[in-house]
């Protein structure tokens, strides 16, 4: 197994899928010869040409819609929207068109497209380039939402997403691209809707996803020295949601903390917490808690930015309070 | 390859620079020189770690902001872009407050919360920069609608670039502005690239002013490196807007002097074209027009000391207080 960066794992997934299936193509801004701003499409243009690695004008609504149309007639587009913030421009095509098509056509039509995008705070990019907007997509029936935290998952899940027959919103995190991990060079797939217990423990379950998984693991490591066993459940996909793995873990530990970077209000965490209370109330030794981002746009100043998203210390403190 | 500009054909304005008031020319030079030096200084400060995030220099494009904003008054509005420092400076922006904002200090225009991409200076009717490409075009249109409803006499200059012109909001906004005769001038800064994508790739029609015709408003192409040409063309459009005759699309052709942002070397750019555009540098063109070395030196020295003061001010300014910030967002 080779050690590689998250972005290289994504690149490998795209390359393998494009080699396997001539109907897979990628579109986005500056993804061709330039290889994309985060280098996820690096060297694909050289291998597959302008016909399948297509640079788009700045027109998120129409090129996302174009992908929906292409998918309906059987192609398999992978759209890159550079920042999740810009996916807001394409919301009609994602929410009203892509997400509904299969349902409204009585199950006869399919939209096998992947919308790759990137979110999260870090590096002082300010309010319009730092958002965590997954709850918008999570809320919409008809969309799958995938948010891998490590290179291994990124490759396996992107490949599965491309083979999926319904629209998938695949959300990366800007601070993950350069993180490294073991990734097999050969083909493998990870199923959507299967969480991964990234660390096991008996005292508390921490349910999380994307970049926050790394912070939760850090907190768990610190707490282990204090004799607290933290089980970290990395959801990997928000829809489908792997309720089984969450509930199984909660039944074992009796406590649950949900951690995400997005604002707490209206966030995915509230929904997961409610689900745990509805389905595993009798197994709980206390109320489910949340650690989440502050209810604010992300400020430019780096010290202010830092306090808006959960820190390792905050996560650890919450856990200590709960056990 | 970009097409050469035809200097004789700039809308239907007769360009008679000699008629221009000397004081106005001096002011234009001062603004152009200020932008040039401010941006160069920011690039240095970025490399020294004082500035973070995204920083998109306006170097090479100074003529557009200088010329167009010289044609409006203090009460008129502008709406800016992610490459907005030049617009802010021309609209009366205080270098100290700008620099402090770009360094993320409490004393900055937005208390360190906005940064380079989001500077707004509402006192001077600069409605702000934007991190969303094209996001300002409807806002400019809406500001003009607001003025119309208030029966105000102001006009709006809405800045955006060639890349933004491919976004849906461009067409929708121009249509709205046209059907309601709104007092807005759309200033399209065609610097030939949207990050690495050349305008020849993203549009079949590279004279983007031609798109105006489809919405029923005048469209003119002007040499964006020539601040005077931009000024004269904007003057006309502004007067038209003030008379209730509706919007104009001005396409000012220009060229970035480097990559898309500080960390982009811009290797994809057409080096020959860049050299041609640089040989007609907007700051030099104004300098030549003035032909008054003593005056020029005086202005340059004044700007240098103002800039040094701004950097000093920003560096000495306090960072925002985390506690106050947290208290202020409690119920956002
Ligand atoms: C809606 C949207 N899409 C993409 C981006 C990323 N982006 C930032 S600047 C830029 C290029 C903009 O090109 P143009 O409008 O020509 O302005 P210029 O940078 O040339 O001044 C892109 C694609 C963005 N900020 N907003």
């Amino acid at each position: 197994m080779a050690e590689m960066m998250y972005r290289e794992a994504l690149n490998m997934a795209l390359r393998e899928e494009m080699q396997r299936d001539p109907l897979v193509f990628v579109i986005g801004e500056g993804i061709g010869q330039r290889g994309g701003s985060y280098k996820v499409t690096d060297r694909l243009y050289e291998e597959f040409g302008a016909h399948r690695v297509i640079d788009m004008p700045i027109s998120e609504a129409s090129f996302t819609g174009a992908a929906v149309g292409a998918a309906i007639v059987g192609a398999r587009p992978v759209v890159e929207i550079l920042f999740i913030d810009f996916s807001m421009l394409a919301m009609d095509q994602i929410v009203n068109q892509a997400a509904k098509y299969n349902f409204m056509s009585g199950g006869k039509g399919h939209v096998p497209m992947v919308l790759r995008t990137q979110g999260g705070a870090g590096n002082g990019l300010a309010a319009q380039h730092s958002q965590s907007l997954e709850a918008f997509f999570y809320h919409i029936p008809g969309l799958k939402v995938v948010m891998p935290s490590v290179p291994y998952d990124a490759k396996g899940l992107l490949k599965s997403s491309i083979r999926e027959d319904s629209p998938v919103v695949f959300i990366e995190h800007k601070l993950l691209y350069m993180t490294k991990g073991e990734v097999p060079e050969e083909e493998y797939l990870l199923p959507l809707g299967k969480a991964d217990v990234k660390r096991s423990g008996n005292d508390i379950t921490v349910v999380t996803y994307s970049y926050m998984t790394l912070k939760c693991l850090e907190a768990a490591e610190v707490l282990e020295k204090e004799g607290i066993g933290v089980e970290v459940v990395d959801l990997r996909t928000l829809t489908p949601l792997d309720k089984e793995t969450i509930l199984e873990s909660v039944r074992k530990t009796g406590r649950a903390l949900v951690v995400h970077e997005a604002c707490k209000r209206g966030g995915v965490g509230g929904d997961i917490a409610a689900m745990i209370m509805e389905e595993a109330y009798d197994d709980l030794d206390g109320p489910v808690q949340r650690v989440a981002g502050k209810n604010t746009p992300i400020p430019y100043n780096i010290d202010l930015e830092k306090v808006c998203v959960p820190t390792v210390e905050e996560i650890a403190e919450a856990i200590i309070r709960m056990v | 390859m970009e097409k050469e500009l035809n200097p004789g054909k700039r809308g239907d304005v007769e360009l008679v620079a000699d008629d221009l008031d000397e004081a106005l020319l001096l002011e234009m030079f001062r603004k152009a020189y200020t932008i040039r030096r401010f941006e160069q200084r920011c690039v240095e400060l970025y490399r020294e770690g004082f500035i973070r995030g995204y920083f998109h220099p306006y170097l090479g494009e100074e003529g557009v902001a200088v010329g167009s904003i010289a044609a409006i008054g203090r009460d008129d509005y502008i709406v800016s872009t992610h490459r907005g420092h030049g617009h802010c400076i021309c609209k009366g922006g205080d270098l100290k407050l700008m620099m402090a904002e770009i360094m993320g200090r409490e004393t900055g225009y937005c208390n360190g919360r906005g940064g380079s991409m989001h500077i707004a200076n509402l006192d001077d009717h600069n409605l702000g920069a934007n991190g969303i490409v094209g996001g300002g075009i409807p806002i400019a249109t809406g500001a003009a609608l607001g003025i119309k409803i208030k029966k105000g006499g102001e006009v709006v200059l809405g800045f955006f670039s060639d890349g933004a012109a491919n976004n849906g909001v461009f067409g929708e906004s121009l249509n709205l502005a046209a059907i309601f005769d709104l007092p807005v001038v759309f200033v399209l800064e065609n610097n030939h690239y949207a990050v690495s994508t050349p305008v020849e790739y993203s549009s079949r029609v590279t004279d983007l002013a031609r798109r105006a015709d489809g919405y029923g408003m005048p469209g003119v192409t002007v040499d964006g490196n020539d601040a005077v040409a931009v000024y004269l063309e904007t003057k006309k459009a502004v007067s038209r807007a003030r008379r209730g005759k509706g919007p104009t699309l001005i396409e000012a052709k220009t060229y970035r002097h480097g990559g898309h942002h500080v960390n982009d070397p811009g290797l994809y750019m057409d080096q020959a074209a860049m050299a041609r555009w640089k040989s007609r540098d907007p700051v030099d063109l104004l300098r030549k027009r003035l032909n008054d070395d003593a005056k020029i030196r005086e202005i340059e020295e004044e700007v240098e000391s103002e800039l040094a003061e701004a950097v000093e001010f920003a560096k000495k300014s306090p960072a925002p207080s985390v506690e106050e910030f947290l208290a202020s967002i409690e119920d956002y």
Side-chain angles (χ1 to χ4, degrees):
Chain A
M1 267 211 276
E3 168 105 339
M4 68 176 70
M5 285 190 275
Y6 188 92
R7 71 177 191 209
E8 292 169 330
L10 292 168
N11 181 260
M12 193 186 256
L14 287 172
R15 173 169 294 106
E16 287 180 11
E17 290 307 296
M18 290 179 79
Q19 283 166 348
R20 186 188 60 83
D21 182 352
L23 294 175
V24 176
F25 69 102
V26 295
I27 65 175
E29 292 162 12
I31 61 158
Q33 262 162 321
R34 191 158 153 272
S37 291
Y38 285 100
K39 292 278 162 228
V40 174
T41 52
D42 197 29
R43 297 186 320 278
L44 295 181
Y45 182 90
E46 285 74 2
E47 183 171 347
F48 301 102
H51 177 61
R52 290 175 69 199
V53 183
I54 312 175
D55 274 337
M56 285 286 160
I58 305 173
S59 49
E60 283 79 6
S62 57
F63 71 68
T64 303
V68 177
I72 289 171
V73 300
R76 305 193 84 90
V78 181
V79 183
E80 175 178 297
I81 289 191
L82 189 51
F83 285 75
I84 198 167
D85 316 70
F86 316 154
S87 71
M88 298 297 103
L89 284 80
M91 225 45 176
D92 170 60
Q93 291 299 324
I94 303 166
V95 174
N96 295 326
Q97 313 302 336
K100 308 290 188 287
Y101 196 75
N102 177 260
F103 182 82
M104 295 193 307
S105 65
K108 296 185 186 78
H110 298 278
V111 183
M113 73 177 262
V114 179
L115 186 128
R116 280 189 44 248
T117 187
Q118 164 268 116
N123 304 331
L125 301 185
Q128 294 176 333
H129 285 72
S130 304
Q131 298 173 89
S132 296
L133 299 174
E134 64 272 17
F136 278 150
F137 302 108
Y138 176 75
H139 186 67
I140 303 301
L143 296 177
K144 302 216 152 108
V145 181
V146 180
M147 298 185 75
S149 66
V150 294
Y152 177 86
D153 294 352
K155 178 180 168 187
L157 287 168
L158 183 53
K159 284 170 67 78
S160 297
S161 298
I162 291 170
R163 298 187 198 187
E164 183 66 41
D165 277 338
S166 46
V168 176
V169 180
F170 191 97
I171 307 173
E172 298 147 21
H173 191 294
K174 54 176 70 62
L175 297 184
L176 285 175
Y177 287 118
M178 311 277 266
T179 58
K180 286 187 169 176
E182 298 281 317
V183 179
E185 306 255 4
E186 66 275 5
E187 151 133 348
Y188 66 97
L189 297 170
L190 292 174
L192 306 192
K194 192 80 200 77
D196 185 38
V197 179
K198 285 270 181 320
R199 179 190 182 106
S200 62
N202 289 319
D203 298 319
I204 183 167
T205 298
V206 174
V207 180
T208 188
Y209 54 90
S210 191
Y211 180 55
M212 280 298 136
T213 304
L214 308 196
K215 292 206 177 177
C216 292
L217 287 169
E218 246 183 278
E221 204 150 302
V222 172
L223 293 174
E224 187 173 69
K225 298 191 186 89
E226 305 187 17
I228 301 172
V230 180
E231 179 141 310
V232 178
V233 176
D234 175 7
L235 292 175
R236 303 198 291 198
T237 69
L238 301 185
T239 34
L241 183 67
D242 184 359
K243 286 188 190 180
E244 286 324 305
T245 301
I246 299 171
L247 293 171
E248 196 183 306
S249 175
V250 171
R251 287 189 182 116
K252 179 175 81 171
T253 64
R255 291 185 178 84
L257 173 72
V258 188
V259 179
H260 59 59
E261 176 172 339
C263 301
K264 187 186 261 186
R265 185 172 65 214
V268 171
D271 193 57
I272 293 170
M275 184 278 289
I276 295 171
M277 290 199 267
E278 281 168 357
E279 308 206 15
Y281 190 77
D282 293 340
D283 298 296
L284 287 171
D285 296 327
V288 181
Q289 308 258 328
R290 288 174 291 166
V291 170
K294 301 270 184 314
N295 296 327
T296 171
I298 300 294
Y300 167 72
N301 175 282
I302 206 84
D303 296 320
L304 301 188
E305 178 189 69
K306 267 189 211 127
V307 298
C308 292
V309 299
T311 58
V312 174
E313 295 73 43
E314 256 179 277
I315 297 166
E317 282 163 20
I319 293 170
I320 291 167
R321 274 197 310 275
M322 289 173 69
V323 295
Chain B
M1 280 291 290
E2 106 272 17
K3 272 184 276 169
E4 290 299 332
L5 281 168
N6 175 358
K9 194 168 161 290
R10 291 168 187 153
D12 50 349
V13 169
E14 274 297 309
L15 290 181
V16 204
D18 301 341
D19 292 351
L20 280 190
D21 190 79
E22 166 94 359
L24 180 63
L25 276 176
L26 284 170
E27 192 47 31
M28 283 197 199
F29 173 72
R30 178 188 297 273
K31 287 279 160 51
Y33 186 76
T34 307
I35 301 173
R36 173 64 50 92
R37 292 293 300 129
F38 184 85
E39 298 280 76
Q40 287 174 334
R41 196 72 188 87
C42 283
V43 172
E44 291 163 12
L45 290 164
Y46 192 95
R47 304 221 186 285
E48 291 163 21
F50 286 99
I51 297 173
R52 311 189 63 119
Y54 278 135
F55 187 95
H56 308 90
Y58 197 59
L59 295 165
E61 308 187 24
E62 295 90 342
V64 187
V66 167
S68 59
I69 296 175
I72 60 171
R74 191 166 187 277
D75 286 343
D76 294 317
Y77 292 90
I78 68 162
V79 174
S80 182
T81 69
H82 61 286
R83 207 179 291 288
H85 306 153
H87 308 138
C88 189
I89 287 171
C90 291
K91 197 68 182 73
D94 180 329
L95 299 193
K96 291 205 277 302
L97 306 191
M98 288 181 67
M99 197 56 96
E101 185 57 36
I102 296 170
M103 285 197 207
R105 309 297 164 117
E106 181 65 32
T107 50
Y109 267 122
C110 313
N111 306 104
R113 296 182 191 188
S116 162
M117 265 192 303
H118 302 292
I119 292 184
N121 168 14
L122 297 175
D123 288 343
D124 288 331
H125 286 192
N126 170 3
L127 300 184
N130 211 312
I132 303 298
V133 171
I137 310 177
I139 295 177
T141 308
L145 177 63
I147 289 167
K148 192 166 174 169
I149 285 172
K150 295 196 318 187
K151 297 195 166 42
E154 306 93 348
V155 299
V156 184
L157 294 190
F159 291 95
F160 55 97
S161 194
D162 47 287
N166 292 320
N167 205 304
V169 287
F170 166 83
E172 298 185 24
S173 302
L174 264 66
N175 191 52
L176 283 188
I179 63 173
F180 298 123
D181 294 322
L182 298 180
V184 51
V185 179
F186 297 104
V187 184
L188 194 170
E189 311 185 290
N190 185 348
N191 62 10
H192 293 83
Y193 288 92
V195 191
S196 61
T197 305
V199 68
E200 294 79 10
Y201 176 91
S202 61
S203 178
R204 275 280 180 270
V205 175
T206 54
D207 286 326
L208 298 173
R210 280 175 56 194
R211 294 189 184 179
D213 196 37
Y215 297 100
M217 71 176 75
V220 284
T221 299
V222 63
D223 176 358
N225 278 26
D226 182 352
V228 171
V230 177
Y231 168 78
L232 293 171
E233 209 53 75
T234 313
K235 201 82 192 152
K236 246 182 33 164
V238 165
S239 133
R240 182 183 145 82
R242 271 203 229 288
R243 284 182 283 117
K245 300 287 184 203
T248 301
L249 172 63
I250 297 175
E251 178 197 12
K253 299 224 193 209
T254 183
Y255 216 79
R256 288 189 326 231
H257 277 186
H260 175 62
H261 53 57
V262 188
N263 293 326
D264 171 15
L267 301 176
Y268 48 81
M269 294 175 80
D270 178 339
Q271 297 306 315
M274 167 117 62
R276 273 201 307 282
W277 282 94
K278 276 190 168 172
S279 72
R280 295 179 42 267
D281 182 284
V283 185
D284 289 344
L285 288 187
L286 282 166
R287 206 182 259 119
K288 275 187 208 129
R289 242 207 253 260
L290 277 165
N291 203 16
D292 179 344
D293 288 348
K295 256 285 181 274
I296 287 172
R297 204 163 320 113
E298 189 189 319
I299 291 175
E300 289 181 352
E301 278 165 16
E302 280 165 16
V303 171
E304 292 299 340
S305 79
E306 199 188 333
L307 183 57
E309 224 178 283
V311 175
E312 190 64 13
F313 171 82
K315 282 186 175 174
K316 283 202 177 128
S317 287
S321 142
V322 170
E323 292 70 35
E324 278 170 34
F325 168 71
L326 287 176
S328 76
I329 58 160
E330 214 164 355
D331 282 319
Y332 207 84

